[in-house]
């Protein structure tokens, strides 16, 4: 077998047992790896209605066929489980070097079952997996844990937030890389699993090196030619977006009450570059290198989403404060989008303007789950409901919306509403066509033509998340190039359409899981605010009838019925057994 | 200013000098340049399809500008150009691919008078190498052809750059047919 290792490790924490089982090439060709592999396991093995923080949930870490090769942006892996924040199936995707190391250790991933009696960590060496005592690590935050374990290999771990069950706790790998958003860190904590440390030295086998070399060059050339990857992200990191989104009036401000922030320049990529000496800290095999830190300080430069949530949405204009909040989140292992959005929701409900000091206090209270932090640690949906104002939570399916106001990017609005993991921009990153003009600039202020486009991009992203490569490469590299290099690596012929079909299979499997969890078409919507208020731009509120029409059209494109349920014919065509 | 860009964007497509979302147009105003956005179609330009950039200081807005913004910026810095057009016209591309030298000599009367010679330059899309070569060529030529890619021309107004793009394509078309007929005669 080329590309894959053809093996997954099962770790049974309750029984303190491990085993390595084979995965067939036929199975892997159907779901690829990463997100697809994890989704298939979770769909098959997690019973409907279980508590995501109980022993019955499982947690899968999975690499893909390209992980660990030299293919640009292939240093990634996925973690998949049932989310304690949304109750939906949930995949998170992270860079750094942990994913490749897992592959080098001779497995494609690991599935974790049950719950350990005492805190443990998992150590993976070449062909050997052991469950070890982690009592000495419990109660420590991510940097300290990573430092302690890094002598043994690459580390993915949780901080105190994961231990305490913060519903949006992250898994952090390689210090600052994040499996974010859906609270998979809390799932890890609920299993008394503090960390996974992995070391390996096996190279990924490639079927046809000559073809691989050619496609590698094709992809590299496209990345260099695109100003988004080679200039914007490379020069400013994702903070490149702050001034752009503010200019286009889609920068969430004051919990999405407004779409423009007067102090955007103060928290922009340009400002960061002018104030701090920057060191690039790229992920494995990534020529884009958007990840950065302040030289000689180990202080991470926050991502755009973090800046927009702690900055404009909380109306904080001090970039240093945002950096401190980001650092605290990484230490505790907390999702910055949900943390920022929940704090912005809290601020709106209280009618209080946040100070820099107050923001940092609240982040720390969430991490410790103390005082008001106990309530905020549930996420904005539960917090706003508990305060009888559910309309103040800016979420879809329980997941807080990221840094793009959907009123000014209507394709993304549909993408938010139909996302299987809730209010997420990364299921179909419509910012590509609607803002960056990649692959083609489309009118961002209309639903026209968006239904078909959104579902194709969702399918493509599902496949790309399973290879596993970075979504940012998709600004320049399309399905044809990915199919080509995948064929060269695995020796199995993939074409664009087969890649999209795999993505569609993954998307529909996720949808089936969510339907079993009682999600329905009623959940494919947006917060009422976006239909009622204009965000400070007259006439910019979303017309509900247009949205609903577009949603129905989306279901038709998907081959689903009017209630958003996949038809038998569609499932049969995708070879999914319901 | 976007109206002028829009007017000549439409003409470019009507004349078959470019199509789909290929090609780009910019104008210089002081130390700013206004350029078509990445992924935009030149016959559909409105005020949302252009972006204003600082001539000296790249910013996040470069990210949504045409990928050739770096080339336009460099030409403006090195020459007196106030407008630039880059097209993907087929005959110019063909001639740049078959020419054995890096100078194309027009054969028709008007192009001889008007263009004298057309440099063929190299460099990847949006690369520093291309920016440098284009600026160098346009220091003493009205236009040039980027090998395998298409012509680029400058002017004091957009119309002047448009005329040069048309002339280059015309010269390449005439040369193409002339060469075929001469070959048949032999």
């Amino acid at each position: 077998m080329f590309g894959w290792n053809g093996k997954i490790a099962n770790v049974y924490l309750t029984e303190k047992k491990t085993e390595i089982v084979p995965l067939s090439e036929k199975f892997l060709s159907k779901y690829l790896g990463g997100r697809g592999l994890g989704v298939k396991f979770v769909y098959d093995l997690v019973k409907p209605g279980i508590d995501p923080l109980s022993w019955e949930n499982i947690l899968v870490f999975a690499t893909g066929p390209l992980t660990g090769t030299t293919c640009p942006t292939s240093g990634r892996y996925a973690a998949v489980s049932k989310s304690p924040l949304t109750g939906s199936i949930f995949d998170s995707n992270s860079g750094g070097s942990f994913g490749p190391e897992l592959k080098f250790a001779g497995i494609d991933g690991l599935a974790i079952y049950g719950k350990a009696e005492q805190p443990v960590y998992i150590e993976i060496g070449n062909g050997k997996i052991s469950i070890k005592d982690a009592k000495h690590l419990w109660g420590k935050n991510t940097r300290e844990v990573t430092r302690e374990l890094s002598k043994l290999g690459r580390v993915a771990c949780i901080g105190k937030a994961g231990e305490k069950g913060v519903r949006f706790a992250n898994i952090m790998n390689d210090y600052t890389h994040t499996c974010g958003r859906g609270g998979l860190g809390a799932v890890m904590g609920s299993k008394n699993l503090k960390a996974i440390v992995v070391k390996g030295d096996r190279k990924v086998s490639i079927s046809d090196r000559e073809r691989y070399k050619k496609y590698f060059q094709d992809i590299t050339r496209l990345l260099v030619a695109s100003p988004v990857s080679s200039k914007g992200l490379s020069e400013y990191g994702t903070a490149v977006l702050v001034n752009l989104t503010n200019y286009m009036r889609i920068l969430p401000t004051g919990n999405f009450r407004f779409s423009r922030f007067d102090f955007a320049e103060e928290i922009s990529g340009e400002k960061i570059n002018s104030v701090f000496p920057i060191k690039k800290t790229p992920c494995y095999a990534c020529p884009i290198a958007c990840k950065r830190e302040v030289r000689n300080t180990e202080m991470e430069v926050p991502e755009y989403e973090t800046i927009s949530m702690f900055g404009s949405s909380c109306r904080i204009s001090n970039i240093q404060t945002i950096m401190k909040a980001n650092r605290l989140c990484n230490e505790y292992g907390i999702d910055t989008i949900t943390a920022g959005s929940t704090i912005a929701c809290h601020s709106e409900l209280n009618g209080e303007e946040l100070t820099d000091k107050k923001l940092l206090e609240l982040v720390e209270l969430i991490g410790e789950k103390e005082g008001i932090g106990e309530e905020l640690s549930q996420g904005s949906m539960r917090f706003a409901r508990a305060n009888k104002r559910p309309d103040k939570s800016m979420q879809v399916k329980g997941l807080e919306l990221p840094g793009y106001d959907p009123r000014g990017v209507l394709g993304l609005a549909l993408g938010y509403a139909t996302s299987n993991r809730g209010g997420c921009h990364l299921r179909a990153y419509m910012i590509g066509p609607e803002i960056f003009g990649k692959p083609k600039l489309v009118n961002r202020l209309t639903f026209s033509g968006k239904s078909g486009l959104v579902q194709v991009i969702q399918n493509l992203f599902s496949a790309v998340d399973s290879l596993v490569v970075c979504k940012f490469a998709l600004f320049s590299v399309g399905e044809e190039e990915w199919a080509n290099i995948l064929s060269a690596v695995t020796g199995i012929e993939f074409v664009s359409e087969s890649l999209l079909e795999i993505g569609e299979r993954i998307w529909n499997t996720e949808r089936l899981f969510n339907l079993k969890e009682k999600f329905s078409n009623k959940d494919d919507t947006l917060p009422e605010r976006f239909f009622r208020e204009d965000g400070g731009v007259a006439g910019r509120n979303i017309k509900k009838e247009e949205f609903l029409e577009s949603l129905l059209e989306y279901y038709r494109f998907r081959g689903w019925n009017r209630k958003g349920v996949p038809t038998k014919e569609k499932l049969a065509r995708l070879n999914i057994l319901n | 200013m976007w109206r002028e860009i829009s007017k000549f964007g439409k003409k470019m497509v009507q004349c078959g000098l470019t199509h789909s979302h290929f090609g780009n147009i910019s104008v210089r105003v002081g130390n700013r340049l206004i350029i078509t956005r990445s992924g935009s179609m030149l016959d559909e330009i409105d005020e949302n399809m252009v972006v204003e950039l600082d001539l000296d200081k790249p910013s996040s807005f470069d990210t949504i500008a045409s990928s050739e913004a770096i080339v336009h910026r460099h030409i403006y810095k090195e020459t007196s150009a106030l407008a630039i057009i880059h097209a993907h016209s087929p005959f110019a591309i063909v001639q740049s691919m078959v020419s054995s030298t890096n100078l194309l000599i027009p054969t028709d009367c008007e192009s001889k008078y008007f263009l004298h010679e057309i440099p063929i330059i190299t460099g990847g899309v949006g690369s520093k190498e291309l920016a440098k070569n284009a600026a160098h060529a346009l220091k003493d030529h009205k236009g040039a052809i980027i090998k395998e890619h298409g012509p680029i021309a400058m002017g004091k107004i957009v119309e002047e750059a448009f005329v040069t793009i048309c002339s280059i394509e015309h010269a390449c078309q005439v040369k193409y047919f002339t060469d075929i007929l001469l070959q048949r005669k032999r």
Side-chain angles (χ1 to χ4, degrees):
Chain A
M1 195 184 290
F2 296 97
W4 299 284
N5 286 310
K7 290 171 197 162
I8 190 161
N10 287 324
V11 179
Y12 303 101
L13 292 173
T14 312
E15 296 84 0
K16 298 178 191 162
K17 282 185 184 165
T18 66
E19 63 178 1
I20 293 178
V21 293
L23 295 169
S24 72
E25 195 170 80
K26 189 179 168 195
F27 171 78
L28 289 166
S29 303
K30 211 170 147 186
Y31 288 93
L32 290 179
R35 174 175 167 185
L37 181 64
V39 162
K40 177 64 178 158
F41 265 66
V42 171
Y43 177 74
D44 285 346
L45 299 172
V46 173
K47 287 184 199 151
I50 62 141
D51 176 359
L53 297 179
S54 74
W55 66 271
E56 291 174 288
N57 200 3
I58 72 164
L59 176 62
V60 179
F61 289 78
T63 65
L66 297 186
T67 310
T69 64
T70 56
C71 175
T73 78
S74 64
R76 304 189 75 83
Y77 73 99
V80 188
S81 189
K82 179 177 174 180
S83 162
L85 185 67
T86 64
S88 68
I89 197 163
F90 209 99
D91 74 286
S92 289
N93 181 296
S94 180
S97 296
F98 178 82
E101 199 73 25
L102 205 53
K103 193 81 173 281
F104 301 153
I107 53 174
D108 293 306
L110 69 158
I112 300 161
Y113 307 80
K115 178 180 179 177
E117 208 174 311
Q118 301 285 334
V120 295
Y121 73 91
I122 298 169
E123 186 179 351
I124 305 169
N126 284 322
K128 200 179 161 205
I129 299 166
S130 32
I131 302 169
K132 297 201 163 172
D133 183 13
K135 283 204 281 290
H136 63 295
L137 299 171
W138 207 253
K140 292 181 178 174
N141 269 338
T142 62
R143 187 164 287 270
E144 199 177 346
V145 173
T146 306
R147 199 175 288 126
E148 277 198 40
L149 291 179
S150 59
K151 56 185 176 292
L152 302 173
R154 297 281 177 185
V155 180
C157 66
I158 56 169
K160 286 197 215 173
E163 293 175 10
K164 291 169 188 272
V166 172
R167 284 187 188 272
F168 45 95
N170 291 341
I171 301 166
M172 304 294 296
N173 64 275
D174 302 289
Y175 290 101
T176 57
H177 296 266
T178 308
C179 274
R181 309 261 33 219
L184 302 196
V187 173
M188 211 162 139
S190 73
K191 294 181 175 302
N192 271 332
L193 176 60
K194 183 68 181 174
I196 299 164
V197 56
V198 58
K199 192 165 179 61
D201 57 13
R202 297 183 193 180
K203 283 192 175 167
V204 179
S205 54
I206 288 170
S207 171
D208 187 335
R209 288 215 162 264
E210 278 309 302
R211 278 180 79 193
Y212 177 81
K213 199 172 154 190
K214 181 191 177 305
Y215 299 139
F216 174 91
Q217 284 166 350
D218 286 350
I219 291 172
T220 305
R221 198 164 46 219
L222 285 166
L223 287 171
V224 170
S226 166
V228 181
S229 45
S230 66
K231 297 186 180 71
L233 290 169
S234 185
E235 183 66 25
Y236 303 100
T238 52
V240 68
L241 280 154
V242 177
N243 277 335
L244 285 174
T245 53
N246 196 48
Y247 170 72
M248 294 181 181
R249 300 203 71 140
I250 55 169
L251 180 63
T253 303
N255 200 29
F256 287 89
R257 275 172 288 169
F258 308 99
S259 53
R260 191 174 185 284
F261 186 46
D262 287 343
F263 304 100
E265 185 65 42
E266 290 302 306
I267 57 173
S268 67
E270 285 90 334
K271 177 76 177 184
I272 293 169
N273 279 12
S274 72
V275 172
F276 303 104
I278 299 296
K279 178 187 165 193
K280 291 184 181 181
T281 53
C283 297
Y284 171 93
C286 183
I288 302 172
C290 67
K291 192 96 178 160
R292 297 150 0 121
E293 66 180 31
V294 179
R295 197 176 288 279
N296 302 325
T297 66
E298 291 186 343
M299 178 67 103
E300 309 91 271
V301 174
E303 302 288 344
Y304 166 73
E305 306 300 341
T306 308
I307 295 173
S308 61
M309 286 299 117
F310 284 137
S312 54
S313 201
C314 286
R315 294 173 181 274
I316 296 290
S317 58
N318 183 339
I319 189 63
Q320 306 232 28
T321 302
I322 297 167
M323 287 168 92
K324 283 178 191 163
N326 181 56
R327 178 59 176 264
L328 275 174
C329 285
N330 286 352
E331 280 287 331
Y332 278 99
I334 299 172
D335 184 70
T336 55
I337 299 175
T338 291
S341 187
T342 305
I343 291 171
C345 169
H346 168 260
S347 171
E348 186 185 350
L349 274 171
N350 284 358
E352 279 175 19
E353 282 294 312
L354 276 165
T355 61
D356 292 21
K357 185 166 170 274
K358 181 76 178 169
L359 175 78
L360 297 175
E361 271 173 22
L362 288 173
V363 173
E364 202 149 359
L365 286 172
I366 290 171
E368 296 288 349
K369 232 176 152 181
E370 285 174 0
I372 185 70
E374 170 83 42
E375 284 179 59
L376 297 176
S377 73
Q378 304 297 314
S380 71
M381 180 180 76
R382 288 175 177 82
F383 175 76
R385 274 184 193 162
N387 285 277
K388 316 267 187 254
R389 290 306 302 271
D391 57 312
K392 300 295 183 195
S393 166
M394 297 297 110
Q395 52 78 27
V396 171
K397 299 185 182 89
L399 187 71
E400 286 72 12
L401 297 180
Y404 314 93
D405 190 316
R407 288 168 289 208
V409 265
L410 295 182
L412 191 64
L414 188 63
Y416 283 159
T418 56
S419 158
N420 284 329
R421 74 172 200 179
C424 173
H425 56 304
L426 295 173
R427 308 293 91 183
Y429 197 55
M430 291 298 289
I431 294 303
E434 293 188 311
I435 299 294
F436 287 125
K438 299 293 177 191
K440 164 76 191 77
L441 191 60
V442 297
N443 184 350
R444 63 191 171 94
L445 298 177
T446 174
F447 280 114
S448 175
K450 300 292 171 62
S451 310
L453 187 59
V454 165
Q455 56 98 31
V456 169
I457 295 180
Q458 285 171 341
N459 293 344
L460 176 61
F461 276 37
S462 302
V464 158
D465 283 343
S466 308
L467 289 173
V468 184
V469 289
C470 180
K471 292 175 188 77
F472 290 158
L474 287 165
F475 288 131
S476 350
V477 184
E479 54 268 37
E480 192 182 340
E481 289 80 21
W482 295 124
N484 285 343
I485 203 158
L486 178 62
S487 304
V489 168
T490 61
I492 301 168
E493 286 308 312
F494 291 90
V495 294
S496 305
E497 286 305 316
S498 53
L499 210 54
L500 289 170
E501 187 180 284
I502 292 168
E504 191 179 9
R505 180 177 300 121
I506 296 164
W507 191 269
N508 277 270
T509 306
E510 291 172 345
R511 182 76 176 183
L512 288 179
F513 182 98
N514 288 351
L515 289 170
K516 286 182 183 178
E517 294 290 344
K518 311 289 183 208
F519 283 94
S520 74
N521 58 333
K522 292 191 174 58
D523 298 297
D524 293 337
T525 189
L526 297 164
E528 276 299 313
R529 166 162 285 166
F530 301 117
F531 298 116
R532 285 201 318 258
E533 301 169 20
D534 64 14
V537 185
R540 192 58 82 77
N541 60 312
I542 296 174
K543 312 293 174 285
K544 201 158 201 174
E545 58 281 13
E546 287 179 17
F547 169 78
L548 290 173
E549 196 181 314
S550 185
L551 183 65
L552 278 179
E553 191 175 77
Y554 169 89
Y555 291 162
R556 279 200 296 277
F557 270 110
R558 280 241 167 257
W560 297 352
N561 68 19
R562 288 176 65 85
K563 295 208 165 210
V565 178
T567 58
K568 280 183 184 167
E569 296 75 27
K570 171 59 73 176
L571 296 181
R573 193 182 73 70
L574 293 171
N575 203 5
I576 300 173
L577 295 174
N578 190 6
Chain B
M1 202 53 81
W2 67 268
R3 288 192 177 83
E4 193 71 355
I5 292 175
S6 177
K7 176 181 166 185
F8 286 97
K10 284 194 180 82
K11 281 183 184 288
M12 294 270 290
V13 176
Q14 282 162 4
C15 296
L17 295 165
T18 198
H19 54 83
S20 180
H21 55 273
F22 301 126
N24 36 73
I25 304 176
S26 74
V27 291
R28 177 180 177 172
V29 184
N31 70 335
R32 313 283 292 172
L33 74 138
I34 297 157
I35 188 165
T36 47
R37 282 183 58 184
S38 180
S40 58
M41 297 208 204
L42 290 190
D43 57 346
E44 286 186 354
I45 299 298
D46 62 20
E47 59 189 323
N48 296 314
M49 297 287 185
V50 297
V51 58
E52 190 174 326
L53 306 176
D54 192 291
L55 194 57
D56 301 308
K57 212 169 81 181
S59 72
S60 51
F61 288 87
D62 280 58
T63 319
I64 58 169
S66 159
S67 52
E68 305 294 8
I70 181 176
V71 180
H72 289 240
R73 186 180 262 127
H74 212 74
I75 293 170
Y76 286 128
K77 280 183 166 182
E78 299 285 318
T79 72
S80 60
L82 295 177
I84 296 169
I85 298 180
H86 166 51
H88 285 198
S89 52
F91 285 97
I93 296 172
V94 168
Q95 289 296 346
S96 76
M97 290 163 75
V98 298
S99 175
S100 54
T101 67
N102 57 7
L103 267 185
L104 196 73
I105 309 297
T107 51
D108 64 295
C109 172
E110 191 170 324
S111 302
K112 273 187 199 168
Y113 280 116
F114 184 67
L115 297 170
H116 312 296
E117 59 187 21
I118 310 165
I120 298 171
I121 57 175
T122 56
V125 177
S127 66
K128 283 181 188 165
E129 183 198 1
L130 178 59
K132 196 176 144 205
N133 291 345
H136 180 73
L138 295 189
K139 274 183 179 173
D140 55 357
H141 296 88
K142 291 185 174 68
I145 306 173
I146 305 164
K147 192 166 180 147
E148 302 170 357
H149 189 166
I152 186 160
M154 66 178 217
K156 302 289 176 284
I157 54 174
V158 186
E159 185 165 344
E160 190 184 348
F162 175 72
V163 170
T164 302
I165 290 283
C166 291
S167 299
I168 291 173
E169 184 64 1
H170 178 71
C172 291
Q173 193 170 8
V174 169
K175 185 168 166 47
Y176 175 87
F177 289 121
T178 312
D179 287 350
I180 287 176
L181 291 174
L182 286 173
Q183 209 154 19
R184 277 192 192 166
K185 268 189 177 177
R186 284 184 208 128

